Amino acid sequence: MNSIVQVILKNSQQFPEKDAFIYNDIYVSYGDFANKILSFSNYLKQKKVKKGSKIVVEADDPILFYTVFLAVQLNSCIVLPVERNISLYHLQEILNAQKPAIVLSRHTGEISKEFFNYDYDLTTPSIVPESDSPAAIISTTGTTGKPVMIVHTNKSILSTAVTYLSGVPMDDTSIVYTAVPFHLAGGFRRVLSALYVGATNVISNQPLSAKSVSDAIDEYNINFLCTVNSNISTLFESEPIYVDNIAQHIRIVETYAGKLTSDVIMNFYKHFPNSVLYNVYGTTESGCLLINNTKDNPKEACIGKPSQLAEVFIIDENDEVITQPGKYGYFAVKGPVNMSEYYKRKALTKQVLKDGLLKINDIGYFDEEGYYYYVSRVGDIMNVNGYTIVPDDIESVAIQYSDIVDCACASSEVSGIGQLPVLYVVVNDNYNKKDFLNYLINNLEPYKIPAAIREVANIPRTTTGKIVRNVLPMLTTI
């Protein structure tokens, strides 16, 4: 098979009556979903949409979203997912840059059921997707500035599902609850993996909570949860009735978008001893590269071992492979999961992708047993008087203080001195700055003591929970 849509259409023939999607009490079987895909594909043919044309789709209705995402592959077109409730200004920027053939957005009034009313042929589609053809252009979350557009092929999208499933035990008995933005790579990759194995997707656009998971257990019999790392503690920091329900019914929790602390892992198994927590590491540019079964390795910041189809390396500043365990370097990956390019950014593509090896802007290391560990983003690391400081070194200590609700650390450049750490905190009513500073002095090395502590209303985060550090210095203190 050259593309994931071919696998899903085959699944629809194997179990046509089985639920593929459940969303807002709407049930869509694999057979009905295949009909929608083929109908939209035929719509594109009748409209004579040319091969290589771009189709923009807003992540509003997941049924329409995934129908379009997959149908365009049958027509050798390219999908451009955009976030739900995208601003008209941002959408216009995309339209000007991409010149799409069709725009499915509430701003354009083109989100309509008419696309599913076209006749289609249930036989094998006339166009077989080419493995190396561009299939999707994905935007990054923009944590380091303006978003970069990333081109993925049919091969890389299909390979990512294979790599994910090589290490995460999702199968056709899984009823998967996803509460992550599905226009982002982390979101749609989980859903596509579930469709690959014939699982059922229960999709929610509501913020994840123990109650929402418990309600989904009662209503849909979910047994598998996909979420981001920052949400894990919300599962056990809740009313016992919801926690107990999760403990009895959820067998797998898979999380991504960061590292897990040993405290979070310990508390997870304290409350959910019969569940297994998997942590998956990947990037928008590549697929799911490393997978850690935290029951096998509960060490802090461990992100596991390489998944199938992904050759993972740690390389130095000269792109030489590091063979010494424990030595820091850049993550790099080779394999079919990698993007083909940054869209219209040849220089940037050449900078990170050389001879099939993709250099990632994350720092990590591996141990003697072959497990990999995440340290930090390259730009987040501070050099304070010759000492290397990772923001998490300070954040992980600060967040344990009882009156700190949330926190983030960033560097500040001081003329004649260099970089100094600044800690931004969200506090409760019992907070006392002097007491908190004494706590930090007693629990951090002297060079890690923040040069300043600034109380703020909230910590800016992406939709996947990552801290937007470049915004921190602009926050107003309270």
Side-chain angles (χ1 to χ4, degrees):
M1 299 258 180
N2 291 342
S3 70
I4 197 164
V5 67
Q6 294 171 286
V7 178
I8 294 167
L9 291 177
K10 183 179 179 181
N11 287 345
S12 72
Q13 297 173 355
Q14 184 177 348
F15 26 75
E17 301 302 320
K18 184 177 181 180
D19 292 324
F21 290 99
I22 304 174
Y23 173 70
N24 284 349
D25 293 327
I26 298 172
Y27 292 72
V28 178
S29 69
Y30 271 86
D32 288 342
F33 185 48
N35 291 346
K36 291 177 183 295
I37 291 171
L38 295 171
S39 181
F40 187 79
S41 173
N42 201 43
Y43 167 81
L44 296 178
K45 292 175 187 174
Q46 293 193 28
K47 292 294 183 181
K48 298 182 179 180
V49 177
K50 295 180 180 179
K51 178 179 178 179
S53 295
K54 303 182 184 76
I55 314 294
V56 171
V57 58
E58 182 180 343
D60 180 44
D61 178 347
I63 310 304
L64 182 140
F65 178 87
Y66 286 106
T67 298
V68 174
F69 194 105
L70 294 163
V72 298
Q73 297 178 17
L74 297 176
N75 299 71
S76 297
C77 295
I78 304 169
V79 67
L80 280 81
V82 297
E83 67 267 26
R84 187 178 184 224
N85 297 325
I86 186 173
S87 70
L88 184 57
Y89 173 78
H90 186 197
L91 179 62
Q92 192 60 53
E93 280 189 321
I94 293 173
L95 301 187
N96 292 339
Q98 302 292 343
K99 304 294 189 298
I102 296 176
V103 181
L104 303 176
S105 168
R106 285 176 294 174
H107 287 301
T108 61
E110 288 195 51
I111 290 186
S112 170
K113 293 183 180 178
E114 71 165 289
F115 305 120
F116 303 138
N117 295 330
Y118 279 75
D119 294 333
Y120 52 87
D121 184 356
L122 280 174
T123 60
T124 304
S126 57
I127 298 179
V128 176
E130 296 177 9
S131 181
D132 292 321
S133 291
I137 298 179
I138 313 299
S139 175
T140 65
T141 55
T143 55
T144 56
K146 288 188 176 181
V148 177
M149 306 301 288
I150 294 165
V151 180
H152 275 285
T153 62
N154 288 311
K155 179 196 292 183
S156 63
I157 293 172
L158 177 61
S159 299
T160 292
V162 173
T163 60
Y164 177 85
L165 296 165
S166 71
V168 179
M170 182 188 289
D171 57 31
D172 61 0
T173 67
S174 301
I175 303 175
V176 184
Y177 185 81
T178 56
V180 293
F182 52 85
H183 72 283
L184 298 177
F188 68 71
R189 283 170 176 166
R190 271 81 191 156
V191 172
L192 294 180
S193 295
L195 294 171
Y196 182 99
V197 293
T200 296
N201 286 287
V202 179
I203 297 180
S204 172
N205 57 17
Q206 301 300 316
L208 184 123
S209 67
K211 183 180 184 304
S212 66
V213 175
S214 180
D215 289 345
I217 290 171
D218 295 339
E219 191 165 356
Y220 308 118
N221 297 313
I222 65 167
N223 54 25
F224 195 116
L225 172 64
C226 292
T227 188
V228 295
N229 293 23
S230 57
N231 283 337
I232 293 299
S233 59
T234 66
L235 297 177
F236 50 76
E237 294 174 354
S238 186
E239 291 87 342
I241 187 173
Y242 303 135
V243 175
D244 291 345
N245 199 22
I246 294 171
Q248 291 176 35
H249 295 93
I250 299 296
R251 56 186 176 87
I252 302 293
V253 176
E254 183 268 319
T255 183
Y256 70 101
K259 58 185 178 181
L260 293 170
T261 67
S262 54
D263 284 343
V264 167
I265 296 172
M266 179 185 68
N267 275 300
F268 178 89
Y269 287 114
K270 177 182 176 181
H271 293 87
F272 312 121
N274 298 319
S275 304
V276 182
L277 176 62
Y278 286 83
N279 190 25
V280 175
Y281 170 81
T283 68
T284 308
E285 290 89 341
S286 59
C288 304
L289 309 180
L290 295 154
I291 301 174
N292 187 41
N293 178 335
T294 63
K295 222 162 202 174
D296 293 340
N297 189 341
K299 292 181 182 177
E300 178 126 0
C302 180
I303 50 177
K305 292 184 176 181
S307 55
Q308 185 180 338
L309 304 181
E311 295 182 71
V312 179
F313 308 90
I314 300 294
I315 62 175
D316 62 19
E317 295 85 352
N318 299 314
D319 296 342
E320 296 293 330
V321 175
I322 293 174
T323 58
Q324 178 184 339
K327 187 174 181 180
Y328 285 11
Y330 297 87
F331 283 101
V333 60
K334 181 178 287 189
V337 294
N338 285 343
M339 67 173 188
S340 60
E341 63 178 338
Y342 288 117
Y343 182 73
K344 291 190 175 180
R345 299 287 298 274
K346 289 185 179 180
L348 183 59
T349 301
K350 289 181 179 179
Q351 183 179 330
V352 302
L353 189 57
K354 299 176 182 177
D355 299 322
L357 184 69
L358 177 69
K359 185 176 182 179
I360 299 170
N361 201 33
D362 288 337
I363 298 296
Y365 64 95
F366 61 89
D367 64 15
E368 293 81 358
E369 299 178 66
Y371 283 98
Y372 285 75
Y373 297 80
Y374 179 87
V375 175
S376 180
R377 296 286 289 175
V378 172
D380 295 343
I381 296 177
M382 294 171 269
N383 188 322
V384 178
N385 295 323
Y387 293 100
T388 297
I389 299 177
V390 175
D392 187 64
D393 295 343
I394 299 172
E395 294 164 357
S396 61
V397 172
I399 197 62
Q400 295 181 45
Y401 190 72
S402 59
D403 299 326
I404 300 300
V405 178
D406 198 3
C407 67
C409 187
S411 66
S412 177
E413 289 284 346
V414 179
S415 179
I417 297 177
Q419 290 184 320
L420 292 175
V422 175
L423 184 64
Y424 300 82
V425 294
V426 178
V427 302
N428 64 23
D429 293 338
N430 299 320
Y431 172 76
N432 181 286
K433 191 169 188 174
K434 183 177 179 181
D435 291 345
F436 178 54
L437 180 58
N438 287 333
Y439 164 80
L440 294 177
I441 291 172
N442 291 328
N443 288 277
L444 290 171
E445 293 89 339
Y447 65 90
K448 293 181 181 177
I449 304 299
I453 300 172
R454 296 175 182 167
E455 295 82 17
V456 296
N458 58 72
I459 300 298
R461 294 180 181 272
T462 68
T463 50
T464 56
K466 296 178 181 178
I467 297 169
V468 187
R469 297 190 191 277
N470 60 339
V471 174
L472 292 173
M474 303 178 224
L475 298 179
T476 302
T477 56
I478 58 174

